[in-house]
Amino acid sequence: MKRILALISLSIIGLYSHGAFADSSQKFLDLNEFVRAARANDVGIEKVLHERVQTTFLRSLSLPSPGVLLQIENQYGFSLDEGERTTVLDLAASKEITTTGTTLTASHSLNRQEDREEDQTRVALEQSLFRNAFGKQTRRQDQKLIKENEAILLRTVEAYEDYIATLISGYFDWQLSHVNRTVAQELLSESQSLQHFIEERSQRHIASKVDVGRVALESMGYEEAILELDISLVKQGAEIASAMGKEVLNDLQPSALLDWTNLKLDFEQTRTAALSKGRMLGAYALAEEAGALEIQLRKEDLDPAINLIGGFRYDDSTRFTVSTDRKEVYVGFNAELPLWDQKSGAEVKKAAYEKMSATLAKKEYLKNLSSALRAQEGRIQTQRKRIELSEKKWTVSKDVARRERKRYENGKIDLETLISARQAQANSRFEFLKNRIQLNKDIVEWLRLTDQLIVKDEPNLPAVRS
């Protein structure tokens, strides 16, 4: 278990390799600092996490209000014919006890006219006996909403993890452009040195003007590559700065390349866990469970609503000089019987359709995830071999270029052969750097697919290991 936690803690930061590109005079932005700054400032992340806010109001919107409803009505009337006045005052309060399916009401009514003065008070209780018997339908609705809220939280974490993976990929692209520019600058310096050497030989009539032109073209090719990389760095740097909530990076540079070549990944264990209890599988399962509850709710809408009614009425009124002083306890029922209710029947079919859609989406996700994990594992294994091969090619091509330089200086080969060897060295070096960055991206993608890029199911960054 400790080993797994250690791997998760490396999921974003990994192992640093401060190589030949480091410069103590430069300020570097490492991946951990970047992700932490983006977490605090990136509007995209804020937007993703904002989805969680839905869970604070969805239940309240869909369930009966537990509060007390107070209603007041007051009217004054003036007769246009006889100048008589009337006063009407109605007060009523009601409260639903959602857990028991009970509604309590109390009301008081005053109606004063020229020939009458009505004063009535009523207290009543209404208890559901069938459709929402003792609050069963409300409780089922609440269970459904709880599952939907849990699914929203899982999807939010998933979207957050996807966004973090995208930011990390952008950082790696910025990093690759930076190290490629550093390499191109070194190659340009070497090419310019060779150009000066050939120009001197040309002045001594040992090299031709064509040779001077060829090596000058090589130098200009590296200058052109540097300009292209500068364009990429401006764009990528702006994106990095924007994610951090800044306008400019103030000469910050990415850290040296991360080296995840030998990072141990338990492919079998993490694949099994992802395919059995992955985050999105949990979200789809919750959607299925919520769908099953929705079907029950919609079917119950086709049932009769039968409610027991009981209460107390007090009438203390005077009508046409006749006084009434009547106290009454009453009991009864009311009922609603949906007959030929096509709409409710359609709601049942709609709920069944949505549940089946969730089931099919879960199956499709599981199939696609299984395929993606197999492919990603193969990509990582292959990329490690490519790194090993490209490193060997770089070592060999570097040695070949060094030897060809000596041979050219001794007049044993022409300049075209030397330039070809130098270009092979440059290409193999660029390829080696690109392969290392690609492996980092592939490992981040594996961690994303297996829900390990975020340590917990809360959108918090994992612990950093430097």
Side-chain angles (χ1 to χ4, degrees):
M1 183 65 181
K2 291 181 179 179
R3 186 176 179 184
I4 295 173
L5 291 175
L7 172 61
I8 294 175
S9 70
L10 291 172
S11 61
I12 288 185
I13 305 307
L15 305 174
Y16 281 89
S17 172
H18 296 286
F21 307 118
D23 182 351
S24 59
S25 66
Q26 294 289 343
K27 292 183 179 180
F28 292 96
L29 173 68
D30 67 35
L31 181 57
N32 178 43
E33 292 175 36
F34 167 61
V35 174
R36 194 162 50 230
R39 173 65 181 86
N41 299 289
D42 191 356
V43 177
I45 289 180
E46 186 178 357
K47 183 179 178 182
V48 168
L49 298 181
H50 183 65
E51 294 299 311
R52 296 176 299 173
V53 176
Q54 296 179 74
T55 62
T56 64
F57 59 76
L58 283 181
R59 289 177 67 197
S60 297
L61 277 178
S62 303
L63 292 175
S65 174
V68 175
L69 177 62
L70 182 64
Q71 295 174 297
I72 302 175
E73 182 179 351
N74 191 16
Q75 298 178 11
Y76 295 96
F78 302 91
S79 173
L80 298 179
D81 296 328
E82 301 177 2
E84 297 178 352
R85 297 183 180 183
T86 61
T87 301
V88 176
L89 175 63
D90 289 320
L91 298 174
S94 62
K95 175 178 175 56
E96 288 193 42
I97 304 175
T98 57
T99 54
T100 61
T102 306
T103 301
L104 300 176
T105 58
S107 63
H108 184 71
S109 177
L110 292 175
N111 188 346
R112 289 186 171 84
Q113 299 181 25
E114 189 70 21
D115 55 358
R116 71 185 65 187
E117 185 174 317
E118 297 181 350
D119 188 342
Q120 297 178 325
T121 303
R122 177 175 172 267
V123 177
L125 177 149
E126 186 174 321
Q127 175 65 54
S128 177
L129 298 178
F130 196 74
R131 181 185 294 174
N132 189 31
F134 304 101
K136 68 170 185 177
Q137 195 175 39
T138 303
R139 289 193 297 273
R140 186 171 287 124
Q141 175 76 358
D142 192 28
Q143 292 171 7
K144 169 181 168 286
L145 293 168
I146 288 172
K147 294 182 184 300
E148 289 178 348
N149 279 347
E150 290 174 356
I152 288 172
L153 291 175
L154 288 174
R155 289 192 175 95
T156 300
V157 176
E158 185 75 6
Y160 171 67
E161 187 177 55
D162 292 347
Y163 197 94
I164 290 293
T166 301
L167 289 179
I168 292 173
S169 179
Y171 178 91
F172 284 149
D173 289 336
W174 179 52
Q175 194 176 54
L176 180 59
S177 294
H178 175 69
V179 295
N180 277 345
R181 192 196 187 285
T182 305
V183 170
Q185 187 65 57
E186 291 179 4
L187 293 171
L188 174 60
S189 298
E190 293 175 9
S191 182
Q192 289 172 338
S193 175
L194 177 61
Q195 184 178 346
H196 292 319
F197 173 75
I198 293 175
E199 287 172 349
E200 291 176 359
R201 287 170 65 94
S202 175
Q203 291 172 1
R204 300 197 306 267
H205 304 290
I206 300 174
S208 67
K209 293 294 184 181
V210 174
D211 287 349
V212 175
R214 283 176 177 170
V215 75
L217 287 172
E218 182 191 60
S219 296
M220 285 186 280
Y222 288 129
E223 288 178 350
E224 186 177 25
I226 289 172
L227 290 174
E228 290 296 325
L229 288 166
D230 283 340
I231 293 173
S232 296
L233 283 168
V234 169
K235 180 177 182 295
Q236 293 163 350
E239 292 172 352
I240 295 293
S242 177
M244 296 172 65
K246 298 182 177 182
E247 292 186 4
V248 293
L249 284 176
N250 296 323
D251 297 326
L252 278 177
Q253 296 183 7
S255 295
L257 293 181
L258 298 176
D259 187 6
W260 282 338
T261 307
N262 298 315
L263 183 63
K264 301 297 182 183
L265 296 174
D266 191 336
F267 292 111
E268 190 62 36
Q269 182 177 348
T270 53
R271 180 172 53 250
T272 300
L275 293 174
S276 60
K277 51 185 179 181
R279 189 183 299 124
M280 283 304 296
L281 288 177
Y284 282 121
L286 287 167
E288 284 184 295
E289 293 170 13
L293 290 169
E294 180 68 12
I295 291 173
Q296 288 181 278
L297 288 168
R298 299 291 73 82
K299 285 183 176 179
E300 287 170 354
D301 287 343
L302 295 170
D303 295 334
I306 301 176
N307 303 309
L308 174 68
I309 301 174
F312 170 78
R313 282 192 291 253
Y314 175 54
D315 188 353
D316 183 15
S317 304
T318 301
R319 301 179 181 87
F320 305 104
T321 70
V322 178
S323 298
T324 303
D325 186 5
R326 183 178 183 183
K327 301 179 180 64
E328 179 182 50
V329 175
Y330 64 92
V331 65
F333 74 92
N334 63 34
E336 294 179 4
L337 285 75
L339 302 176
W340 306 288
D341 188 351
Q342 294 182 349
K343 181 178 179 181
S344 295
E347 293 285 356
V348 174
K349 293 179 181 179
K350 179 184 176 184
Y353 165 80
E354 291 176 348
K355 179 181 179 298
M356 179 54 68
S357 296
T359 301
L360 293 174
K362 178 183 175 183
K363 289 180 179 179
E364 183 180 36
Y365 174 80
L366 194 59
K367 181 191 72 171
N368 292 340
L369 178 62
S370 178
S371 175
L373 288 173
R374 291 290 181 186
Q376 196 63 25
E377 179 183 350
R379 244 194 244 73
I380 291 172
Q381 303 287 27
T382 301
Q383 196 61 27
R384 283 174 170 162
K385 294 176 182 177
R386 292 179 70 182
I387 289 174
E388 185 178 351
L389 180 60
S390 60
E391 186 174 19
K392 289 178 180 177
K393 284 179 65 178
W394 178 30
T395 302
V396 171
S397 63
K398 184 166 53 175
D399 183 64
V400 169
R402 181 180 58 82
R403 293 177 183 274
E404 293 291 62
R405 171 72 181 263
K406 289 183 178 180
R407 293 179 68 199
Y408 174 75
E409 291 174 358
N410 295 328
K412 294 181 179 180
I413 61 171
D414 59 16
L415 182 60
E416 187 175 351
T417 303
L418 173 59
I419 290 177
S420 178
R422 287 167 51 78
Q423 192 61 52
Q425 175 196 356
N427 290 341
S428 62
R429 191 173 182 184
F430 285 127
E431 191 67 20
F432 172 60
L433 294 172
K434 186 178 77 171
N435 286 336
R436 286 180 65 187
I437 290 287
Q438 186 57 51
L439 176 62
N440 292 341
K441 287 186 175 182
D442 289 338
I443 289 176
V444 167
E445 178 64 8
W446 173 265
L447 296 172
R448 185 191 72 82
L449 288 171
T450 55
D451 298 338
Q452 295 183 87
L453 195 57
I454 303 298
V455 173
K456 300 178 181 179
D457 285 344
E458 291 293 328
N460 296 314
L461 291 176
V464 176
R465 183 173 174 180
S466 300

